[in-house]
Every structure is written in C-alpha cells, then in structure tokens.
Amino acid sequence: MQHGPAVRRRKLGAELRSLRSGTGLTSGEAARLVGWHQSKVSRIETGASGVKPADVRLLLDAYGVRDAQLRELLLVLAGSDESAGRHHWWHAYRGVLPPTYRDFISLESQASEMRTLETSVVPGLLQTAQYARAVTRAAVDGLDEERVDALVEVRLARQDVLRSQPPLALDAVLDEAVLRREVGGPEVMKRQLERLLEAARLPQVRLQVLPFAAGAHIGVTGPFVIFSFSSTSDLDVVVLDHLTSSLYLERKEDLQAYTEAFNALQFHALSPEDSLDYIAAIGDGA
C-alpha cells in the first residue's frame, strides 16, 4: 500500500521497462539512444526516482510507441500538466485540492472503467450540486463559502468523464444506506435520487443497490474504487479513502481480491433493472 505519487512512479517505470523489453533493447542501449547514463533508465524503471514528462516522451519515441492513448496515459502518470494538447482542468484548483485528490482525479480522467462500492454517500460522479455541497460541508468542518464553492465546482467538473468520448464506464454498487441517509434535507435528497435514476439509464453506467435485506456482506469493511485502463491492465489500481489521505493498492493479488469482492457484491445486489425500481420506491417514500 502506497500513496498515489509512489504508485504512479512504480507503474510508469514498470510500463516503460515493458516497452523497452518489447523492443529488445537493454537498459544501457536505451540510455545511449536518448543520451543518458544507464543508471537513470534503471532508476526510472524501478520507480526509485521521478521522471519528467519530456523524458517520458524521449523514451516513448526511442521505443517507437505511437499509441496516442497509451502515450497520454503515461504522460499523466509522469505528472504532465498537458497531454494531447488538453490542459488538465484540475490544476486551476491546486490551491484547493490536496495532492491525493489531484492524484485521484488524474487517474479518473484517464481510466476506461471505474468500479466503486459506496456505503455512505452517493458517488461523486453522480452527485447533484446541492448534495455535493451538503456532503462537503459535513466532511470538512469550518470551510468558508468560497472554498466550498470551489470544491463543489470540482465535483461537478469531474462528471464530464461520463460525457467524454469515449466515456468512462461506471459500475457502482450502492449500499441501501446511501439512499436512506438524508443528506441536505428532504428536497435535496429527492432530487439526488432522481439524478441517480437519470444516470442509471445511461449506457455507460451500471448501477446496483445492495439492500439491507442482503445482510452482512464483504463490503462492510468499507468503500473502495477500482480503476482500469484500456491501454494496459498493469496500470489498474485500487483506491481506499481515509479521513486524511488515500491509499493506492497496485499488487496483482490486491487487485484480484478487490475484483472478486466487487463481483460478489454485484451478484448479491439487485439487478440494474430492479435497482431502478428500488430507488424510485424510496424516492416515493417507501
């Protein structure tokens, strides 16, 4: 378990090592191609040191990598502020967002699929502005209105990944407590449930409810997110949120365990169709 930046370095290094191996180059030969010492290539590949986006471009060019999506993803992992000519919008909020949140957003923006279990609140990608405001105020005490406004703006801007081309595929399992907990008052919650129904009808969104009647389940240990990337499964990562930080799990055994857990949760949850009826019934006061 490591914090986001360390995971990014290791994942980036492992992918660059794989790309180099695929060309048949040794680390020394790759270093000579780009005019470096062999030790620099080794440090980058092991994640022992960070690497500038410009250096990543040099290596990708040397390895003949032309896949635009893969290049963009690796540049993001290197901390690039700009890839494929698109400025990363969240950098405008650097003074508001902690580094772990920026790490999360950068992964979310490049992932092809996001699987999430939520046990307390609606996933950020599906929140209304009013719900997001109420959650933000409750989660971080003492924020002034300007900072709350900025954090709500970020939450809503993140939702663009569901409208991008191609859109992020979102699979979400919601414990019934998410739907029953009255956040922001009855009217805010009513609109939030309506928003869930709207989102669940999108082809890229699969929403399932885990009702109280399902009893104890593997998700009682807490919420989690699994990010997957179409370019390479080696970059997949599990994110666990804590009060003051986030943890990123990258080991294959961790990914397998959380993937199996999510599959089990989907199996015990209501079907997407029945989940829609369940949410609607709760919205009607059932």
Side-chain angles (χ1 to χ4, degrees):
M1 294 187 294
Q2 298 188 41
H3 292 288
V7 169
R8 286 209 311 258
R9 284 200 306 271
R10 287 184 57 179
K11 286 186 172 295
L12 175 59
E15 186 63 18
L16 290 172
R17 182 172 62 250
S18 176
L19 291 171
R20 173 182 59 75
S21 298
T23 67
L25 293 170
T26 65
S27 58
E29 290 168 339
R32 284 192 291 274
L33 277 177
V34 294
W36 299 345
H37 193 279
Q38 186 270 341
S39 62
K40 179 173 180 177
V41 173
S42 295
R43 289 196 305 273
I44 290 171
E45 290 184 352
T46 59
S49 65
V51 55
K52 298 177 181 177
D55 289 342
V56 172
R57 290 190 185 94
L58 281 177
L59 291 174
L60 295 178
D61 290 343
Y63 303 156
V65 178
R66 300 288 178 262
D67 185 325
Q69 187 175 17
L70 178 58
R71 287 179 69 98
E72 182 171 356
L73 176 57
L74 296 181
L75 287 169
V76 168
L77 290 175
S80 175
D81 286 350
E82 191 171 324
S83 57
R86 293 189 290 110
H87 181 66
H88 291 169
W89 59 266
W90 58 89
H91 287 281
Y93 296 89
R94 291 182 72 91
V96 176
L97 305 178
T100 52
Y101 195 10
R102 296 200 301 268
D103 291 333
F104 184 91
I105 296 172
S106 69
L107 290 171
E108 183 179 73
S109 71
Q110 296 299 319
S112 58
E113 180 184 9
M114 176 179 176
R115 286 164 286 176
T116 181
L117 165 69
E118 289 292 350
T119 57
S120 298
V121 298
V122 170
L125 294 183
L126 303 179
Q127 292 179 7
T128 66
Q130 294 79 9
Y131 186 97
R133 184 175 298 278
V135 167
T136 300
R137 283 176 173 155
V140 188
D141 190 36
L143 289 181
D144 59 45
E145 282 305 304
E146 184 177 357
R147 194 173 178 85
V148 171
D149 288 343
L151 289 172
V152 172
E153 286 177 16
V154 169
R155 187 69 52 88
L156 299 181
R158 282 174 49 202
Q159 298 176 4
D160 284 345
V161 295
L162 296 177
R163 297 184 288 270
S164 61
Q165 292 299 326
L168 174 73
L170 175 63
D171 282 7
V173 173
L174 308 184
D175 190 276
E176 185 173 343
V178 173
L179 310 176
R180 298 286 185 184
R181 178 169 288 105
E182 193 173 278
V183 175
E187 289 305 312
V188 170
M189 202 60 203
K190 178 177 174 60
R191 176 64 191 119
Q192 179 59 70
L193 294 177
E194 291 171 352
R195 167 73 179 124
L196 287 177
L197 293 174
E198 295 165 3
R201 294 186 176 94
L202 295 173
Q204 68 272 29
V205 175
R206 179 184 174 92
L207 188 62
Q208 291 180 259
V209 174
L210 196 61
F212 290 147
H217 53 77
I218 196 168
V220 296
T221 55
F224 60 86
V225 172
I226 307 172
F227 284 123
S228 298
F229 300 85
S230 59
S231 300
T232 170
S233 62
D234 289 340
L235 296 173
D236 292 359
V237 64
V238 176
V239 184
L240 306 177
D241 269 335
H242 295 272
L243 182 61
T244 58
S245 65
S246 297
L247 290 176
Y248 293 69
L249 283 66
E250 61 173 332
R251 298 184 308 167
K252 290 187 182 300
E253 51 265 45
D254 291 326
L255 285 163
Q256 181 177 350
Y258 276 88
T259 297
E260 291 175 355
F262 191 80
N263 291 342
L265 290 165
Q266 285 188 308
F267 177 79
H268 291 292
L270 301 176
S271 69
E273 295 76 19
D274 289 343
S275 294
L276 282 174
D277 292 339
Y278 206 80
I279 294 171
I282 291 175
D284 290 337

